[in-house]
């Protein structure tokens, strides 16, 4: 299990996993997650510890880094004038399983 705090640390974890031929699994905050009693093969990368950015582009697009909590993303979208994102107010993160 790895808790990288930056994109550079994510790359480092992925490089080390690849060197061991281990599978990499990304995990968001772990909400609504069931794991087998047998565990998970490979490296689990939890990106919730990393600071994440949400960027609103002039073309109306929203870019959210992996790990942003969906309720936070929904609120930021609403406050920035991007309607219709309220269904994202469920538990979970962008880019996680």
């Amino acid at each position: 299990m790895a808790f990288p705090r930056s994109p550079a640390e994510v790359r480092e974890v992925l490089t080390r996993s690849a060197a061991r031929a281990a599978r990499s699994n990304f995990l968001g905050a772990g909400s609504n997650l069931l794991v087998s009693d047998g565990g998970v093969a490979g490296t689990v990368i939890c990106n919730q510890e990393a600071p994440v950015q949400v960027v609103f582009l002039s073309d109306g697009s929203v870019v959210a880094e992996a790990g942003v909590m969906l309720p936070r993303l929904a609120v930021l979208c609403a406050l920035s004038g991007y309607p219709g994102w309220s269904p994202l107010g469920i538990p979970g993160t962008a880019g996680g399983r």
Side-chain angles (χ1 to χ4, degrees):
M1 186 98 184
F3 298 90
R5 294 186 173 268
S6 69
E9 287 183 13
V10 171
R11 284 189 294 275
E12 181 180 335
V13 170
L14 291 173
T15 299
R16 288 182 181 188
S17 292
R20 294 188 339 263
R23 179 179 175 182
S24 297
N25 301 285
F26 283 89
L27 173 69
S31 57
N32 300 320
L33 178 72
L34 295 174
V35 178
S36 165
D37 289 340
V40 177
T43 303
V44 176
I45 301 168
C46 179
N47 56 2
Q48 185 174 350
E49 298 296 321
V52 294
Q53 293 184 0
V54 176
V55 178
F56 297 94
L57 303 177
S58 60
D59 68 358
S61 299
V62 179
V63 178
E65 290 183 333
V68 66
M69 296 295 295
L70 293 179
R72 177 176 178 247
L73 179 58
V75 168
L76 289 174
C77 287
L79 292 174
S80 298
Y82 290 72
W85 291 86
S86 58
L88 290 180
I90 59 171
T93 59
R97 289 187 183 197

